Amino acid sequence: HGEIDWRVPVGESRRFFAAAKKLNKPVTYVEVPGQGHSFKGLEAQTLAWQKRLDFLQSVADHAPCPRWKLRTR
């Protein structure tokens, strides 16, 4: 979340993160200093996308295996 986001107040993301953690839900929160709603600059955009992809990978890594993948021929 951009530290100076005027569209979505940063406090909303902080509260969501805290609530998700309290419920033991998979959640990652990254606050990028000096950034608003849309991240500017390659470094900030790279950080944001990498964190998103890391989160999705961690969720996929811990997801139950579908039954069709357990079948053997």
Side-chain angles (χ1 to χ4, degrees), residues 4-49:
I4 56 173
D5 188 341
W6 57 271
R7 286 190 183 172
V8 180
V10 73
E12 291 183 25
S13 290
R14 291 173 183 160
R15 284 188 296 279
F16 179 88
F17 173 73
K21 281 298 251 188
K22 189 174 181 179
L23 295 170
N24 292 317
K25 299 296 181 183
V27 64
T28 298
Y29 179 71
V30 178
E31 192 169 308
V32 184
Q35 295 290 328
H37 191 71
S38 299
F39 293 168
K40 306 289 185 207
L42 184 59
E43 186 177 343
Q45 291 178 16
T46 301
L47 171 69
W49 278 107

mmCIF file of all heavy atoms in Angstrom, residues 4-49:
data_model
loop_
_atom_site.group_PDB
_atom_site.id
_atom_site.type_symbol
_atom_site.label_atom_id
_atom_site.label_comp_id
_atom_site.label_asym_id
_atom_site.label_seq_id
_atom_site.Cartn_x
_atom_site.Cartn_y
_atom_site.Cartn_z
ATOM 1 N N ILE A 4 1.195 7.289 1.134
ATOM 2 C CA ILE A 4 0.441 8.540 0.999
ATOM 3 C C ILE A 4 -0.747 8.389 0.034
ATOM 4 O O ILE A 4 -1.112 9.319 -0.672
ATOM 5 C CB ILE A 4 1.363 9.706 0.576
ATOM 6 C CG1 ILE A 4 2.114 9.383 -0.711
ATOM 7 C CG2 ILE A 4 2.328 10.063 1.691
ATOM 8 C CD1 ILE A 4 2.915 10.533 -1.296
ATOM 9 N N ASP A 5 -1.353 7.229 0.014
ATOM 10 C CA ASP A 5 -2.508 6.953 -0.841
ATOM 11 C C ASP A 5 -3.686 7.790 -0.369
ATOM 12 O O ASP A 5 -4.129 7.674 0.766
ATOM 13 C CB ASP A 5 -2.848 5.462 -0.767
ATOM 14 C CG ASP A 5 -3.917 5.044 -1.758
ATOM 15 O OD1 ASP A 5 -4.668 5.900 -2.257
ATOM 16 O OD2 ASP A 5 -4.007 3.837 -2.021
ATOM 17 N N TRP A 6 -4.219 8.638 -1.238
ATOM 18 C CA TRP A 6 -5.346 9.490 -0.857
ATOM 19 C C TRP A 6 -6.678 8.860 -1.254
ATOM 20 O O TRP A 6 -7.722 9.249 -0.771
ATOM 21 C CB TRP A 6 -5.213 10.887 -1.467
ATOM 22 C CG TRP A 6 -5.087 10.884 -2.960
ATOM 23 C CD1 TRP A 6 -3.933 10.805 -3.679
ATOM 24 C CD2 TRP A 6 -6.144 10.932 -3.918
ATOM 25 N NE1 TRP A 6 -4.207 10.791 -5.027
ATOM 26 C CE2 TRP A 6 -5.570 10.877 -5.204
ATOM 27 C CE3 TRP A 6 -7.526 11.018 -3.827
ATOM 28 C CZ2 TRP A 6 -6.312 10.898 -6.383
ATOM 29 C CZ3 TRP A 6 -8.273 11.040 -4.994
ATOM 30 C CH2 TRP A 6 -7.657 10.985 -6.248
ATOM 31 N N ARG A 7 -6.645 7.860 -2.155
ATOM 32 C CA ARG A 7 -7.896 7.208 -2.568
ATOM 33 C C ARG A 7 -8.353 6.160 -1.559
ATOM 34 O O ARG A 7 -9.536 6.025 -1.288
ATOM 35 C CB ARG A 7 -7.728 6.536 -3.929
ATOM 36 C CG ARG A 7 -7.683 7.504 -5.047
ATOM 37 C CD ARG A 7 -7.749 6.805 -6.357
ATOM 38 N NE ARG A 7 -7.629 7.798 -7.411
ATOM 39 C CZ ARG A 7 -7.492 7.514 -8.671
ATOM 40 N NH1 ARG A 7 -7.441 6.270 -9.054
ATOM 41 N NH2 ARG A 7 -7.383 8.471 -9.556
ATOM 42 N N VAL A 8 -7.414 5.372 -1.111
ATOM 43 C CA VAL A 8 -7.699 4.338 -0.117
ATOM 44 C C VAL A 8 -6.796 4.629 1.073
ATOM 45 O O VAL A 8 -5.596 4.383 1.012
ATOM 46 C CB VAL A 8 -7.423 2.919 -0.664
ATOM 47 C CG1 VAL A 8 -7.724 1.872 0.392
ATOM 48 C CG2 VAL A 8 -8.218 2.663 -1.940
ATOM 49 N N PRO A 9 -7.337 5.165 2.138
ATOM 50 C CA PRO A 9 -6.504 5.514 3.288
ATOM 51 C C PRO A 9 -5.709 4.309 3.787
ATOM 52 O O PRO A 9 -6.224 3.194 3.879
ATOM 53 C CB PRO A 9 -7.515 5.984 4.332
ATOM 54 C CG PRO A 9 -8.703 6.441 3.534
ATOM 55 C CD PRO A 9 -8.744 5.521 2.351
ATOM 56 N N VAL A 10 -4.447 4.528 4.067
ATOM 57 C CA VAL A 10 -3.543 3.461 4.475
ATOM 58 C C VAL A 10 -4.031 2.754 5.736
ATOM 59 O O VAL A 10 -3.802 1.554 5.917
ATOM 60 C CB VAL A 10 -2.099 4.001 4.613
ATOM 61 C CG1 VAL A 10 -1.943 4.863 5.826
ATOM 62 C CG2 VAL A 10 -1.090 2.884 4.610
ATOM 63 N N GLY A 11 -4.751 3.450 6.578
ATOM 64 C CA GLY A 11 -5.283 2.841 7.790
ATOM 65 C C GLY A 11 -6.221 1.675 7.507
ATOM 66 O O GLY A 11 -6.293 0.718 8.275
ATOM 67 N N GLU A 12 -6.949 1.745 6.381
ATOM 68 C CA GLU A 12 -7.851 0.653 6.019
ATOM 69 C C GLU A 12 -7.072 -0.628 5.753
ATOM 70 O O GLU A 12 -7.464 -1.716 6.187
ATOM 71 C CB GLU A 12 -8.690 1.034 4.802
ATOM 72 C CG GLU A 12 -9.707 2.110 5.100
ATOM 73 C CD GLU A 12 -10.583 2.428 3.909
ATOM 74 O OE1 GLU A 12 -10.765 1.556 3.024
ATOM 75 O OE2 GLU A 12 -11.096 3.553 3.867
ATOM 76 N N SER A 13 -5.967 -0.511 5.047
ATOM 77 C CA SER A 13 -5.137 -1.688 4.768
ATOM 78 C C SER A 13 -4.471 -2.208 6.031
ATOM 79 O O SER A 13 -4.353 -3.418 6.230
ATOM 80 C CB SER A 13 -4.072 -1.367 3.718
ATOM 81 O OG SER A 13 -4.681 -1.176 2.468
ATOM 82 N N ARG A 14 -4.053 -1.310 6.883
ATOM 83 C CA ARG A 14 -3.444 -1.734 8.151
ATOM 84 C C ARG A 14 -4.450 -2.512 8.997
ATOM 85 O O ARG A 14 -4.116 -3.534 9.600
ATOM 86 C CB ARG A 14 -2.932 -0.526 8.924
ATOM 87 C CG ARG A 14 -1.736 0.147 8.273
ATOM 88 C CD ARG A 14 -1.386 1.423 8.996
ATOM 89 N NE ARG A 14 -0.287 2.117 8.351
ATOM 90 C CZ ARG A 14 -0.032 3.408 8.533
ATOM 91 N NH1 ARG A 14 -0.777 4.129 9.351
ATOM 92 N NH2 ARG A 14 0.982 3.974 7.914
ATOM 93 N N ARG A 15 -5.702 -2.020 9.055
ATOM 94 C CA ARG A 15 -6.740 -2.707 9.829
ATOM 95 C C ARG A 15 -7.087 -4.062 9.210
ATOM 96 O O ARG A 15 -7.278 -5.050 9.921
ATOM 97 C CB ARG A 15 -7.992 -1.838 9.954
ATOM 98 C CG ARG A 15 -7.837 -0.714 10.973
ATOM 99 C CD ARG A 15 -9.141 0.015 11.239
ATOM 100 N NE ARG A 15 -9.664 0.715 10.070
ATOM 101 C CZ ARG A 15 -9.248 1.916 9.661
ATOM 102 N NH1 ARG A 15 -8.283 2.550 10.322
ATOM 103 N NH2 ARG A 15 -9.779 2.493 8.611
ATOM 104 N N PHE A 16 -7.172 -4.109 7.895
ATOM 105 C CA PHE A 16 -7.461 -5.376 7.215
ATOM 106 C C PHE A 16 -6.366 -6.397 7.508
ATOM 107 O O PHE A 16 -6.642 -7.558 7.824
ATOM 108 C CB PHE A 16 -7.579 -5.163 5.701
ATOM 109 C CG PHE A 16 -7.851 -6.436 4.958
ATOM 110 C CD1 PHE A 16 -9.142 -6.879 4.770
ATOM 111 C CD2 PHE A 16 -6.807 -7.208 4.461
ATOM 112 C CE1 PHE A 16 -9.395 -8.069 4.091
ATOM 113 C CE2 PHE A 16 -7.045 -8.399 3.790
ATOM 114 C CZ PHE A 16 -8.349 -8.821 3.604
ATOM 115 N N PHE A 17 -5.118 -5.966 7.408
ATOM 116 C CA PHE A 17 -3.985 -6.845 7.679
ATOM 117 C C PHE A 17 -4.054 -7.393 9.106
ATOM 118 O O PHE A 17 -3.910 -8.595 9.328
ATOM 119 C CB PHE A 17 -2.676 -6.086 7.457
ATOM 120 C CG PHE A 17 -1.455 -6.856 7.859
ATOM 121 C CD1 PHE A 17 -1.011 -7.925 7.098
ATOM 122 C CD2 PHE A 17 -0.743 -6.517 8.993
ATOM 123 C CE1 PHE A 17 0.117 -8.638 7.468
ATOM 124 C CE2 PHE A 17 0.386 -7.221 9.372
ATOM 125 C CZ PHE A 17 0.817 -8.292 8.604
ATOM 126 N N ALA A 18 -4.298 -6.514 10.063
ATOM 127 C CA ALA A 18 -4.369 -6.937 11.462
ATOM 128 C C ALA A 18 -5.510 -7.931 11.685
ATOM 129 O O ALA A 18 -5.341 -8.936 12.391
ATOM 130 C CB ALA A 18 -4.536 -5.721 12.370
ATOM 131 N N ALA A 19 -6.659 -7.675 11.075
ATOM 132 C CA ALA A 19 -7.804 -8.574 11.238
ATOM 133 C C ALA A 19 -7.532 -9.936 10.603
ATOM 134 O O ALA A 19 -7.860 -10.973 11.183
ATOM 135 C CB ALA A 19 -9.054 -7.947 10.626
ATOM 136 N N ALA A 20 -6.924 -9.943 9.431
ATOM 137 C CA ALA A 20 -6.609 -11.205 8.757
ATOM 138 C C ALA A 20 -5.597 -12.010 9.561
ATOM 139 O O ALA A 20 -5.725 -13.229 9.701
ATOM 140 C CB ALA A 20 -6.091 -10.945 7.348
ATOM 141 N N LYS A 21 -4.586 -11.338 10.100
ATOM 142 C CA LYS A 21 -3.590 -12.016 10.933
ATOM 143 C C LYS A 21 -4.245 -12.627 12.168
ATOM 144 O O LYS A 21 -3.941 -13.744 12.547
ATOM 145 C CB LYS A 21 -2.493 -11.049 11.376
ATOM 146 C CG LYS A 21 -1.449 -10.745 10.351
ATOM 147 C CD LYS A 21 -0.704 -11.966 9.944
ATOM 148 C CE LYS A 21 0.704 -11.940 10.467
ATOM 149 N NZ LYS A 21 1.481 -13.057 9.893
ATOM 150 N N LYS A 22 -5.155 -11.872 12.789
ATOM 151 C CA LYS A 22 -5.838 -12.333 13.991
ATOM 152 C C LYS A 22 -6.640 -13.604 13.710
ATOM 153 O O LYS A 22 -6.775 -14.469 14.573
ATOM 154 C CB LYS A 22 -6.751 -11.230 14.517
ATOM 155 C CG LYS A 22 -7.348 -11.509 15.857
ATOM 156 C CD LYS A 22 -8.119 -10.296 16.367
ATOM 157 C CE LYS A 22 -8.695 -10.569 17.746
ATOM 158 N NZ LYS A 22 -9.421 -9.410 18.253
ATOM 159 N N LEU A 23 -7.144 -13.728 12.482
ATOM 160 C CA LEU A 23 -7.910 -14.904 12.075
ATOM 161 C C LEU A 23 -7.029 -16.000 11.470
ATOM 162 O O LEU A 23 -7.536 -16.986 10.931
ATOM 163 C CB LEU A 23 -8.997 -14.497 11.074
ATOM 164 C CG LEU A 23 -10.085 -13.577 11.611
ATOM 165 C CD1 LEU A 23 -10.960 -13.065 10.473
ATOM 166 C CD2 LEU A 23 -10.913 -14.289 12.661
ATOM 167 N N ASN A 24 -5.716 -15.799 11.539
ATOM 168 C CA ASN A 24 -4.748 -16.755 10.976
ATOM 169 C C ASN A 24 -4.946 -17.000 9.483
ATOM 170 O O ASN A 24 -4.793 -18.118 9.004
ATOM 171 C CB ASN A 24 -4.782 -18.076 11.740
ATOM 172 C CG ASN A 24 -4.266 -17.924 13.137
ATOM 173 O OD1 ASN A 24 -3.256 -17.267 13.370
ATOM 174 N ND2 ASN A 24 -4.972 -18.512 14.091
ATOM 175 N N LYS A 25 -5.279 -15.955 8.762
ATOM 176 C CA LYS A 25 -5.438 -16.039 7.311
ATOM 177 C C LYS A 25 -4.108 -15.694 6.645
ATOM 178 O O LYS A 25 -3.324 -14.908 7.173
ATOM 179 C CB LYS A 25 -6.517 -15.062 6.824
ATOM 180 C CG LYS A 25 -7.883 -15.321 7.409
ATOM 181 C CD LYS A 25 -8.416 -16.664 6.980
ATOM 182 C CE LYS A 25 -9.792 -16.931 7.537
ATOM 183 N NZ LYS A 25 -10.280 -18.252 7.181
ATOM 184 N N PRO A 26 -3.858 -16.276 5.485
ATOM 185 C CA PRO A 26 -2.624 -15.922 4.784
ATOM 186 C C PRO A 26 -2.723 -14.478 4.290
ATOM 187 O O PRO A 26 -3.646 -14.124 3.568
ATOM 188 C CB PRO A 26 -2.558 -16.911 3.621
ATOM 189 C CG PRO A 26 -3.965 -17.361 3.416
ATOM 190 C CD PRO A 26 -4.637 -17.262 4.757
ATOM 191 N N VAL A 27 -1.802 -13.662 4.716
ATOM 192 C CA VAL A 27 -1.849 -12.255 4.348
ATOM 193 C C VAL A 27 -0.433 -11.682 4.367
ATOM 194 O O VAL A 27 0.405 -12.104 5.163
ATOM 195 C CB VAL A 27 -2.782 -11.463 5.301
ATOM 196 C CG1 VAL A 27 -2.265 -11.469 6.715
ATOM 197 C CG2 VAL A 27 -3.026 -10.056 4.823
ATOM 198 N N THR A 28 -0.190 -10.780 3.464
ATOM 199 C CA THR A 28 1.079 -10.056 3.418
ATOM 200 C C THR A 28 0.740 -8.585 3.278
ATOM 201 O O THR A 28 -0.165 -8.226 2.518
ATOM 202 C CB THR A 28 1.927 -10.511 2.206
ATOM 203 O OG1 THR A 28 2.227 -11.898 2.349
ATOM 204 C CG2 THR A 28 3.219 -9.725 2.114
ATOM 205 N N TYR A 29 1.443 -7.760 3.998
ATOM 206 C CA TYR A 29 1.214 -6.314 3.904
ATOM 207 C C TYR A 29 2.539 -5.621 3.649
ATOM 208 O O TYR A 29 3.511 -5.848 4.358
ATOM 209 C CB TYR A 29 0.580 -5.778 5.192
ATOM 210 C CG TYR A 29 0.342 -4.289 5.151
ATOM 211 C CD1 TYR A 29 -0.638 -3.754 4.349
ATOM 212 C CD2 TYR A 29 1.126 -3.421 5.901
ATOM 213 C CE1 TYR A 29 -0.856 -2.377 4.297
ATOM 214 C CE2 TYR A 29 0.916 -2.045 5.853
ATOM 215 C CZ TYR A 29 -0.080 -1.546 5.050
ATOM 216 O OH TYR A 29 -0.283 -0.198 4.998
ATOM 217 N N VAL A 30 2.544 -4.807 2.626
ATOM 218 C CA VAL A 30 3.729 -4.023 2.286
ATOM 219 C C VAL A 30 3.286 -2.577 2.149
ATOM 220 O O VAL A 30 2.351 -2.278 1.409
ATOM 221 C CB VAL A 30 4.373 -4.498 0.959
ATOM 222 C CG1 VAL A 30 5.569 -3.648 0.608
ATOM 223 C CG2 VAL A 30 4.745 -5.967 1.048
ATOM 224 N N GLU A 31 3.947 -1.708 2.870
ATOM 225 C CA GLU A 31 3.661 -0.282 2.781
ATOM 226 C C GLU A 31 4.882 0.388 2.155
ATOM 227 O O GLU A 31 5.989 0.261 2.668
ATOM 228 C CB GLU A 31 3.392 0.288 4.171
ATOM 229 C CG GLU A 31 2.806 1.673 4.136
ATOM 230 C CD GLU A 31 2.312 2.089 5.511
ATOM 231 O OE1 GLU A 31 1.533 1.344 6.145
ATOM 232 O OE2 GLU A 31 2.708 3.182 5.945
ATOM 233 N N VAL A 32 4.653 1.073 1.046
ATOM 234 C CA VAL A 32 5.755 1.665 0.303
ATOM 235 C C VAL A 32 5.832 3.164 0.608
ATOM 236 O O VAL A 32 4.915 3.917 0.279
ATOM 237 C CB VAL A 32 5.596 1.414 -1.212
ATOM 238 C CG1 VAL A 32 6.790 1.948 -1.974
ATOM 239 C CG2 VAL A 32 5.406 -0.073 -1.493
ATOM 240 N N PRO A 33 6.911 3.578 1.258
ATOM 241 C CA PRO A 33 7.070 4.992 1.629
ATOM 242 C C PRO A 33 7.061 5.920 0.410
ATOM 243 O O PRO A 33 7.610 5.588 -0.643
ATOM 244 C CB PRO A 33 8.440 5.042 2.309
ATOM 245 C CG PRO A 33 8.762 3.639 2.685
ATOM 246 C CD PRO A 33 8.055 2.772 1.681
ATOM 247 N N GLY A 34 6.383 7.046 0.568
ATOM 248 C CA GLY A 34 6.381 8.068 -0.464
ATOM 249 C C GLY A 34 5.541 7.755 -1.686
ATOM 250 O O GLY A 34 5.535 8.521 -2.644
ATOM 251 N N GLN A 35 4.802 6.655 -1.671
ATOM 252 C CA GLN A 35 3.985 6.275 -2.824
ATOM 253 C C GLN A 35 2.518 6.507 -2.533
ATOM 254 O O GLN A 35 2.073 6.399 -1.395
ATOM 255 C CB GLN A 35 4.225 4.814 -3.196
ATOM 256 C CG GLN A 35 5.621 4.522 -3.687
ATOM 257 C CD GLN A 35 5.914 5.123 -5.049
ATOM 258 O OE1 GLN A 35 5.046 5.253 -5.904
ATOM 259 N NE2 GLN A 35 7.164 5.515 -5.255
ATOM 260 N N GLY A 36 1.777 6.789 -3.595
ATOM 261 C CA GLY A 36 0.345 7.004 -3.476
ATOM 262 C C GLY A 36 -0.433 5.777 -3.909
ATOM 263 O O GLY A 36 -0.002 4.648 -3.701
ATOM 264 N N HIS A 37 -1.581 6.014 -4.565
ATOM 265 C CA HIS A 37 -2.448 4.918 -4.988
ATOM 266 C C HIS A 37 -1.814 4.114 -6.115
ATOM 267 O O HIS A 37 -1.937 2.897 -6.163
ATOM 268 C CB HIS A 37 -3.809 5.475 -5.417
ATOM 269 C CG HIS A 37 -4.843 4.423 -5.613
ATOM 270 N ND1 HIS A 37 -5.400 3.721 -4.567
ATOM 271 C CD2 HIS A 37 -5.416 3.941 -6.738
ATOM 272 C CE1 HIS A 37 -6.283 2.857 -5.036
ATOM 273 N NE2 HIS A 37 -6.311 2.971 -6.350
ATOM 274 N N SER A 38 -1.182 4.800 -7.034
ATOM 275 C CA SER A 38 -0.455 4.149 -8.137
ATOM 276 C C SER A 38 1.027 4.332 -7.888
ATOM 277 O O SER A 38 1.495 5.456 -7.749
ATOM 278 C CB SER A 38 -0.827 4.776 -9.473
ATOM 279 O OG SER A 38 -2.206 4.617 -9.714
ATOM 280 N N PHE A 39 1.756 3.222 -7.838
ATOM 281 C CA PHE A 39 3.184 3.314 -7.564
ATOM 282 C C PHE A 39 3.928 3.910 -8.749
ATOM 283 O O PHE A 39 3.683 3.558 -9.896
ATOM 284 C CB PHE A 39 3.762 1.943 -7.239
ATOM 285 C CG PHE A 39 3.264 1.368 -5.943
ATOM 286 C CD1 PHE A 39 3.493 0.059 -5.620
ATOM 287 C CD2 PHE A 39 2.556 2.131 -5.034
ATOM 288 C CE1 PHE A 39 3.048 -0.485 -4.427
ATOM 289 C CE2 PHE A 39 2.108 1.604 -3.836
ATOM 290 C CZ PHE A 39 2.360 0.293 -3.540
ATOM 291 N N LYS A 40 4.829 4.803 -8.450
ATOM 292 C CA LYS A 40 5.645 5.467 -9.469
ATOM 293 C C LYS A 40 7.072 4.955 -9.380
ATOM 294 O O LYS A 40 7.605 4.779 -8.286
ATOM 295 C CB LYS A 40 5.646 6.987 -9.268
ATOM 296 C CG LYS A 40 4.272 7.615 -9.190
ATOM 297 C CD LYS A 40 3.580 7.601 -10.523
ATOM 298 C CE LYS A 40 2.261 8.350 -10.404
ATOM 299 N NZ LYS A 40 1.281 7.905 -11.348
ATOM 300 N N GLY A 41 7.674 4.738 -10.522
ATOM 301 C CA GLY A 41 9.066 4.311 -10.566
ATOM 302 C C GLY A 41 9.199 2.795 -10.632
ATOM 303 O O GLY A 41 8.411 2.047 -10.057
ATOM 304 N N LEU A 42 10.202 2.375 -11.347
ATOM 305 C CA LEU A 42 10.430 0.952 -11.560
ATOM 306 C C LEU A 42 10.686 0.193 -10.264
ATOM 307 O O LEU A 42 10.186 -0.918 -10.068
ATOM 308 C CB LEU A 42 11.608 0.759 -12.533
ATOM 309 C CG LEU A 42 11.912 -0.671 -12.939
ATOM 310 C CD1 LEU A 42 10.716 -1.320 -13.606
ATOM 311 C CD2 LEU A 42 13.125 -0.703 -13.858
ATOM 312 N N GLU A 43 11.437 0.784 -9.353
ATOM 313 C CA GLU A 43 11.757 0.101 -8.093
ATOM 314 C C GLU A 43 10.500 -0.209 -7.271
ATOM 315 O O GLU A 43 10.315 -1.327 -6.796
ATOM 316 C CB GLU A 43 12.730 0.936 -7.266
ATOM 317 C CG GLU A 43 13.212 0.237 -6.015
ATOM 318 C CD GLU A 43 14.234 1.062 -5.238
ATOM 319 O OE1 GLU A 43 14.817 2.005 -5.795
ATOM 320 O OE2 GLU A 43 14.418 0.735 -4.061
ATOM 321 N N ALA A 44 9.619 0.775 -7.135
ATOM 322 C CA ALA A 44 8.392 0.579 -6.361
ATOM 323 C C ALA A 44 7.462 -0.414 -7.056
ATOM 324 O O ALA A 44 6.856 -1.276 -6.402
ATOM 325 C CB ALA A 44 7.678 1.910 -6.145
ATOM 326 N N GLN A 45 7.350 -0.330 -8.370
ATOM 327 C CA GLN A 45 6.491 -1.247 -9.111
ATOM 328 C C GLN A 45 7.025 -2.672 -9.046
ATOM 329 O O GLN A 45 6.263 -3.627 -8.873
ATOM 330 C CB GLN A 45 6.350 -0.794 -10.556
ATOM 331 C CG GLN A 45 5.548 0.475 -10.690
ATOM 332 C CD GLN A 45 5.459 0.953 -12.123
ATOM 333 O OE1 GLN A 45 5.740 0.216 -13.057
ATOM 334 N NE2 GLN A 45 5.060 2.198 -12.309
ATOM 335 N N THR A 46 8.337 -2.816 -9.148
ATOM 336 C CA THR A 46 8.950 -4.145 -9.060
ATOM 337 C C THR A 46 8.713 -4.742 -7.682
ATOM 338 O O THR A 46 8.354 -5.921 -7.558
ATOM 339 C CB THR A 46 10.463 -4.065 -9.359
ATOM 340 O OG1 THR A 46 10.645 -3.531 -10.678
ATOM 341 C CG2 THR A 46 11.113 -5.422 -9.265
ATOM 342 N N LEU A 47 8.899 -3.962 -6.642
ATOM 343 C CA LEU A 47 8.658 -4.431 -5.282
ATOM 344 C C LEU A 47 7.211 -4.897 -5.121
ATOM 345 O O LEU A 47 6.951 -5.992 -4.611
ATOM 346 C CB LEU A 47 8.955 -3.320 -4.264
ATOM 347 C CG LEU A 47 8.535 -3.608 -2.823
ATOM 348 C CD1 LEU A 47 9.396 -4.712 -2.215
ATOM 349 C CD2 LEU A 47 8.620 -2.346 -1.988
ATOM 350 N N ALA A 48 6.280 -4.083 -5.580
ATOM 351 C CA ALA A 48 4.858 -4.408 -5.430
ATOM 352 C C ALA A 48 4.507 -5.698 -6.167
ATOM 353 O O ALA A 48 3.844 -6.580 -5.608
ATOM 354 C CB ALA A 48 4.000 -3.251 -5.936
ATOM 355 N N TRP A 49 4.940 -5.826 -7.411
ATOM 356 C CA TRP A 49 4.620 -7.036 -8.172
ATOM 357 C C TRP A 49 5.300 -8.260 -7.586
ATOM 358 O O TRP A 49 4.705 -9.340 -7.522
ATOM 359 C CB TRP A 49 4.969 -6.868 -9.643
ATOM 360 C CG TRP A 49 3.882 -6.139 -10.358
ATOM 361 C CD1 TRP A 49 3.908 -4.856 -10.817
ATOM 362 C CD2 TRP A 49 2.572 -6.625 -10.643
ATOM 363 N NE1 TRP A 49 2.701 -4.522 -11.371
ATOM 364 C CE2 TRP A 49 1.869 -5.594 -11.283
ATOM 365 C CE3 TRP A 49 1.932 -7.839 -10.428
ATOM 366 C CZ2 TRP A 49 0.550 -5.741 -11.708
ATOM 367 C CZ3 TRP A 49 0.618 -7.980 -10.860
ATOM 368 C CH2 TRP A 49 -0.054 -6.944 -11.486
#
